[in-house]
Amino acid sequence: MKPLSLGYSPCPNDTFIFYALSHGVIDPGDLKFDRPHLEDVETLNSWALDHRLDITKISCHALGHVSDEYCVLAAGGALGRGCGPLVVAASAIPVADLAGRRVAIPGRLTTAALLFKLFQPACTDLVEMRFDRIMAAVRRGEVDAGVIIHESRFTYGEEGLTCLQDLGQWWETISGQPIPLGCIVARRSLGDAVIKRVERTVAASVDYGFRFPEKCLPYIRAHSQETAPEIVENHIRLYVNDFSRHLGDEGMAAISVFLQRGRTAGVLPPGAEGQLPLFACHLGEER
């Protein structure tokens, strides 16, 4: 079969997860992969809309737009508790006042954007920018507040910013579910058998990272926005967990509830899950 195209972000959790697969230290069997594309998650989200890659990391928000073309792998996802996006500002602002303010979001298809729209639906003056530019834009007064993700969670205090709302904590309170940030998806056109082999390969890559984290670190640090060892380690510890090994019933339920909330709010289109299984592990038997 032809090599499969693969994309993931340069963030430490993704480079941790895909180190073994991308460096050929696990056996993928008869699968072959092209050189991976490392791109900002919003770029990967937009590529998924165009069905550009065979296997890719995307935001769970973006999943709500592409579930007819992609299904979710049980391994490699970013879900958890206490790890959601934060709304920050240069000074304390009552969250009720955000409705009349300019707020930066890290891309329209990010989970952070959907969470913020659910949290503050009256706030419509949203400014899209790369996640690593948001804190500086808030400091300079270009926007009144910003929704930050990734390593920014660990450094916003050093930038003199104030947290107005932890959106992950808010989500956990209203839903009782862990926050589904991102997932790994595969094109349905690959076929059930290939998708399940890809899922096992990604799971093996995750397992390698847990068993030999020190071997992954040079690759992780080479691509991380933040190079301080403690920030890289905190990032991995927060975003790579048992859900990354396998979503399980709890992880799958969290993603399903998140998508349904987005549809009920009118942010997401009607889903394809009624006709197509959302998760790879629910596909037909491998032959």
Side-chain angles (χ1 to χ4, degrees):
M1 62 181 293
K2 71 180 182 68
L4 301 172
S5 53
L6 170 66
Y8 50 91
S9 84
C11 293
N13 58 307
D14 284 349
T15 47
F16 175 98
I17 284 168
F18 283 102
Y19 169 80
L21 189 157
S22 64
H23 287 74
V25 297
I26 56 171
D27 181 9
D30 62 349
L31 298 176
K32 293 182 175 58
F33 296 87
D34 283 333
R35 184 174 180 177
H37 300 271
L38 272 68
E39 300 287 347
D40 172 69
V41 71
E42 183 66 352
T43 298
L44 297 174
N45 290 338
S46 64
W47 286 5
L49 292 181
D50 296 330
H51 317 144
R52 178 167 170 174
L53 300 177
D54 295 316
I55 300 100
T56 182
K57 167 71 173 285
I58 60 172
S59 301
C60 286
H61 178 183
L63 174 64
H65 295 273
V66 299
S67 61
D68 57 335
E69 290 287 338
Y70 289 91
C71 62
V72 181
L73 305 187
L79 294 84
R81 297 184 183 276
C83 61
L86 306 178
V87 183
V88 299
S91 60
I93 301 171
V95 291
D97 290 353
L98 290 174
R101 310 277 186 141
R102 283 168 55 84
V103 178
I105 56 172
R108 71 181 182 90
L109 293 173
T110 57
T111 295
L114 177 51
L115 275 173
F116 185 74
K117 289 177 181 180
L118 294 176
F119 170 69
Q120 194 60 252
C123 185
T124 57
D125 193 359
L126 304 179
V127 183
E128 296 176 37
M129 61 180 67
R130 272 182 59 104
F131 79 94
D132 54 342
R133 298 174 182 166
I134 290 179
M135 290 197 296
V138 174
R139 279 201 326 269
R140 291 194 295 262
E142 296 170 9
V143 291
D144 299 301
V147 184
I148 59 171
I149 58 176
H150 301 328
E151 297 97 320
S152 301
R153 180 182 183 92
F154 305 107
T155 59
Y156 74 90
E158 299 171 8
E159 301 290 333
L161 303 180
T162 298
C163 179
L164 306 181
Q165 178 66 51
D166 183 324
L167 292 177
Q169 185 180 69
W170 172 80
W171 167 258
E172 291 174 43
T173 299
I174 67 164
S175 71
Q177 303 284 344
I179 177 65
L181 297 169
C183 56
I184 310 302
V185 297
R187 286 165 64 102
R188 295 182 185 275
S189 60
L190 296 176
D192 296 0
V194 170
I195 290 171
K196 289 193 173 184
R197 292 203 293 276
V198 170
E199 186 174 58
R200 290 197 295 270
T201 301
V202 174
S205 189
V206 174
D207 184 61
Y208 182 94
F210 275 109
R211 287 188 291 123
F212 305 107
E214 70 286 349
K215 294 185 179 181
C216 309
L217 280 176
Y219 179 64
I220 293 168
R221 289 172 178 160
H223 293 283
S224 176
Q225 289 284 336
E226 294 287 344
T227 57
E230 64 275 10
I231 293 178
V232 171
E233 291 169 12
N234 286 338
H235 185 114
I236 295 170
R237 190 178 302 113
L238 188 62
Y239 296 111
V240 184
N241 51 39
D242 285 343
F243 289 119
S244 306
R245 294 181 185 271
H246 194 284
L247 289 173
D249 291 342
E250 185 180 15
M252 289 188 282
I255 292 174
S256 298
V257 169
F258 184 68
L259 295 182
Q260 188 54 53
R261 292 265 184 164
R263 293 186 179 113
T264 300
V267 182
L268 294 178
E273 295 92 284
Q275 299 77 41
L276 299 169
L278 181 60
F279 302 98
C281 56
H282 295 160
L283 296 174
E285 293 297 318
E286 185 173 344
R287 294 180 294 275

